[in-house]
Amino acid sequence: MKSKIYMFTFFLAIFLCKAQVIGTLEQFEECSKRPNRDELGCPDLEDITYVKDTNNRLDQFVGTWKGSANGKQYEIQFEKKLQYGDNNRKWDKILGRMIIKDASGNTIFSSMNIPLDEAGILRGANFQSRVYILTFVANSYCNDSGEVFIEITKANSNKMTLYFDRDQSIIFKPEKCPNLATYVPLLPKDKMTLTKQ
């Protein structure tokens, strides 16, 4: 009986391994640059079920990074998640949690203890040359969401630049954002430099 269980487990493992079709971050980066991608998509990548960081490009971002901008102190902890997602295609991604403090050291925002599927988490997408793109949603009613671009500087691997491109297409909801006129997004509008700790 034990040998039948072992054989069943063995064949199940082989089946599950064959069911996963692995692609790379580079393949999907190349796909995003195709001139006819909007019309044709990337049919050669449709069957891929796992987009893997085969060259460990994401590893350079992992760790705790600190910086300041506009009188605020930022601490961002980036971690690499393998096979992240709950849909038919899993990705290796960088996810980030952060603490933001004002000039007096008071915490004005923290996502350190929230689940990875809630607002306030930086969620990786993919590379665009040397730049890694993440999405960020803090308060969509006040239009505090958009894309975050991070890049390790060429001169120093312990320095990273971060740029936040705030969504412009979102419609503000004044009834759900009473301080809309004075609302300041959490991430700075201008490029910020972070240092690895």
Side-chain angles (χ1 to χ4, degrees), residues 146-158:
E147 290 185 320
V148 175
F149 302 85
I150 57 175
E151 179 182 7
I152 303 298
T153 61
K154 288 182 179 180
N156 185 346
S157 62
N158 290 322

PDB file of all heavy atoms in Angstrom, residues 146-158:
ATOM      1  N   GLY A 146      -0.765  55.732  -7.777  1.00  0.00           N
ATOM      2  CA  GLY A 146      -0.024  55.882  -9.018  1.00  0.00           C
ATOM      3  C   GLY A 146       1.076  54.857  -9.139  1.00  0.00           C
ATOM      4  O   GLY A 146       1.057  53.822  -8.468  1.00  0.00           O
ATOM      5  N   GLU A 147       2.033  55.161  -9.986  1.00  0.00           N
ATOM      6  CA  GLU A 147       3.166  54.271 -10.207  1.00  0.00           C
ATOM      7  C   GLU A 147       4.399  54.837  -9.529  1.00  0.00           C
ATOM      8  O   GLU A 147       4.616  56.054  -9.509  1.00  0.00           O
ATOM      9  CB  GLU A 147       3.436  54.090 -11.699  1.00  0.00           C
ATOM     10  CG  GLU A 147       2.363  53.281 -12.391  1.00  0.00           C
ATOM     11  CD  GLU A 147       2.685  53.007 -13.850  1.00  0.00           C
ATOM     12  OE1 GLU A 147       3.212  53.912 -14.538  1.00  0.00           O
ATOM     13  OE2 GLU A 147       2.414  51.880 -14.291  1.00  0.00           O
ATOM     14  N   VAL A 148       5.192  53.929  -8.974  1.00  0.00           N
ATOM     15  CA  VAL A 148       6.444  54.289  -8.314  1.00  0.00           C
ATOM     16  C   VAL A 148       7.571  53.650  -9.116  1.00  0.00           C
ATOM     17  O   VAL A 148       7.515  52.472  -9.458  1.00  0.00           O
ATOM     18  CB  VAL A 148       6.455  53.789  -6.854  1.00  0.00           C
ATOM     19  CG1 VAL A 148       7.799  54.051  -6.197  1.00  0.00           C
ATOM     20  CG2 VAL A 148       5.322  54.433  -6.065  1.00  0.00           C
ATOM     21  N   PHE A 149       8.586  54.447  -9.419  1.00  0.00           N
ATOM     22  CA  PHE A 149       9.722  53.986 -10.194  1.00  0.00           C
ATOM     23  C   PHE A 149      10.949  54.000  -9.290  1.00  0.00           C
ATOM     24  O   PHE A 149      11.278  55.049  -8.725  1.00  0.00           O
ATOM     25  CB  PHE A 149       9.958  54.905 -11.397  1.00  0.00           C
ATOM     26  CG  PHE A 149       8.766  54.995 -12.310  1.00  0.00           C
ATOM     27  CD1 PHE A 149       7.737  55.905 -12.062  1.00  0.00           C
ATOM     28  CD2 PHE A 149       8.665  54.166 -13.413  1.00  0.00           C
ATOM     29  CE1 PHE A 149       6.634  55.985 -12.890  1.00  0.00           C
ATOM     30  CE2 PHE A 149       7.557  54.244 -14.263  1.00  0.00           C
ATOM     31  CZ  PHE A 149       6.548  55.149 -13.997  1.00  0.00           C
ATOM     32  N   ILE A 150      11.598  52.841  -9.144  1.00  0.00           N
ATOM     33  CA  ILE A 150      12.806  52.780  -8.321  1.00  0.00           C
ATOM     34  C   ILE A 150      13.971  52.298  -9.179  1.00  0.00           C
ATOM     35  O   ILE A 150      13.806  51.491 -10.085  1.00  0.00           O
ATOM     36  CB  ILE A 150      12.634  51.884  -7.069  1.00  0.00           C
ATOM     37  CG1 ILE A 150      12.220  50.458  -7.440  1.00  0.00           C
ATOM     38  CG2 ILE A 150      11.647  52.510  -6.096  1.00  0.00           C
ATOM     39  CD1 ILE A 150      12.153  49.489  -6.257  1.00  0.00           C
ATOM     40  N   GLU A 151      15.151  52.835  -8.861  1.00  0.00           N
ATOM     41  CA  GLU A 151      16.353  52.465  -9.610  1.00  0.00           C
ATOM     42  C   GLU A 151      17.562  52.580  -8.700  1.00  0.00           C
ATOM     43  O   GLU A 151      17.722  53.578  -7.991  1.00  0.00           O
ATOM     44  CB  GLU A 151      16.525  53.384 -10.824  1.00  0.00           C
ATOM     45  CG  GLU A 151      17.758  53.100 -11.642  1.00  0.00           C
ATOM     46  CD  GLU A 151      17.926  54.055 -12.817  1.00  0.00           C
ATOM     47  OE1 GLU A 151      17.160  55.030 -12.940  1.00  0.00           O
ATOM     48  OE2 GLU A 151      18.849  53.815 -13.618  1.00  0.00           O
ATOM     49  N   ILE A 152      18.399  51.561  -8.721  1.00  0.00           N
ATOM     50  CA  ILE A 152      19.664  51.609  -8.000  1.00  0.00           C
ATOM     51  C   ILE A 152      20.613  52.473  -8.823  1.00  0.00           C
ATOM     52  O   ILE A 152      20.729  52.302 -10.052  1.00  0.00           O
ATOM     53  CB  ILE A 152      20.261  50.191  -7.812  1.00  0.00           C
ATOM     54  CG1 ILE A 152      19.268  49.278  -7.073  1.00  0.00           C
ATOM     55  CG2 ILE A 152      21.596  50.258  -7.085  1.00  0.00           C
ATOM     56  CD1 ILE A 152      18.895  49.712  -5.687  1.00  0.00           C
ATOM     57  N   THR A 153      21.305  53.394  -8.159  1.00  0.00           N
ATOM     58  CA  THR A 153      22.205  54.275  -8.901  1.00  0.00           C
ATOM     59  C   THR A 153      23.412  53.487  -9.403  1.00  0.00           C
ATOM     60  O   THR A 153      23.856  52.527  -8.773  1.00  0.00           O
ATOM     61  CB  THR A 153      22.676  55.465  -8.034  1.00  0.00           C
ATOM     62  OG1 THR A 153      23.391  54.955  -6.906  1.00  0.00           O
ATOM     63  CG2 THR A 153      21.504  56.305  -7.553  1.00  0.00           C
ATOM     64  N   LYS A 154      23.931  53.890 -10.541  1.00  0.00           N
ATOM     65  CA  LYS A 154      25.075  53.191 -11.136  1.00  0.00           C
ATOM     66  C   LYS A 154      26.331  53.373 -10.294  1.00  0.00           C
ATOM     67  O   LYS A 154      27.150  52.469 -10.187  1.00  0.00           O
ATOM     68  CB  LYS A 154      25.327  53.708 -12.558  1.00  0.00           C
ATOM     69  CG  LYS A 154      24.296  53.262 -13.554  1.00  0.00           C
ATOM     70  CD  LYS A 154      24.644  53.758 -14.941  1.00  0.00           C
ATOM     71  CE  LYS A 154      23.612  53.289 -15.949  1.00  0.00           C
ATOM     72  NZ  LYS A 154      23.910  53.757 -17.304  1.00  0.00           N
ATOM     73  N   ALA A 155      26.487  54.531  -9.681  1.00  0.00           N
ATOM     74  CA  ALA A 155      27.710  54.836  -8.942  1.00  0.00           C
ATOM     75  C   ALA A 155      27.766  54.169  -7.567  1.00  0.00           C
ATOM     76  O   ALA A 155      28.854  53.936  -7.042  1.00  0.00           O
ATOM     77  CB  ALA A 155      27.846  56.349  -8.774  1.00  0.00           C
ATOM     78  N   ASN A 156      26.601  53.855  -6.983  1.00  0.00           N
ATOM     79  CA  ASN A 156      26.590  53.333  -5.612  1.00  0.00           C
ATOM     80  C   ASN A 156      25.395  52.403  -5.436  1.00  0.00           C
ATOM     81  O   ASN A 156      24.250  52.856  -5.463  1.00  0.00           O
ATOM     82  CB  ASN A 156      26.523  54.498  -4.616  1.00  0.00           C
ATOM     83  CG  ASN A 156      26.619  54.063  -3.179  1.00  0.00           C
ATOM     84  OD1 ASN A 156      26.478  52.890  -2.848  1.00  0.00           O
ATOM     85  ND2 ASN A 156      26.858  55.024  -2.306  1.00  0.00           N
ATOM     86  N   SER A 157      25.648  51.128  -5.223  1.00  0.00           N
ATOM     87  CA  SER A 157      24.560  50.149  -5.093  1.00  0.00           C
ATOM     88  C   SER A 157      23.786  50.287  -3.788  1.00  0.00           C
ATOM     89  O   SER A 157      22.793  49.603  -3.586  1.00  0.00           O
ATOM     90  CB  SER A 157      25.106  48.724  -5.227  1.00  0.00           C
ATOM     91  OG  SER A 157      26.029  48.461  -4.177  1.00  0.00           O
ATOM     92  N   ASN A 158      24.238  51.163  -2.898  1.00  0.00           N
ATOM     93  CA  ASN A 158      23.505  51.430  -1.648  1.00  0.00           C
ATOM     94  C   ASN A 158      22.636  52.675  -1.748  1.00  0.00           C
ATOM     95  O   ASN A 158      22.088  53.140  -0.746  1.00  0.00           O
ATOM     96  CB  ASN A 158      24.474  51.561  -0.467  1.00  0.00           C
ATOM     97  CG  ASN A 158      25.098  50.227  -0.120  1.00  0.00           C
ATOM     98  OD1 ASN A 158      24.441  49.189  -0.170  1.00  0.00           O
ATOM     99  ND2 ASN A 158      26.378  50.244   0.197  1.00  0.00           N
TER     100      ASN A 158
END
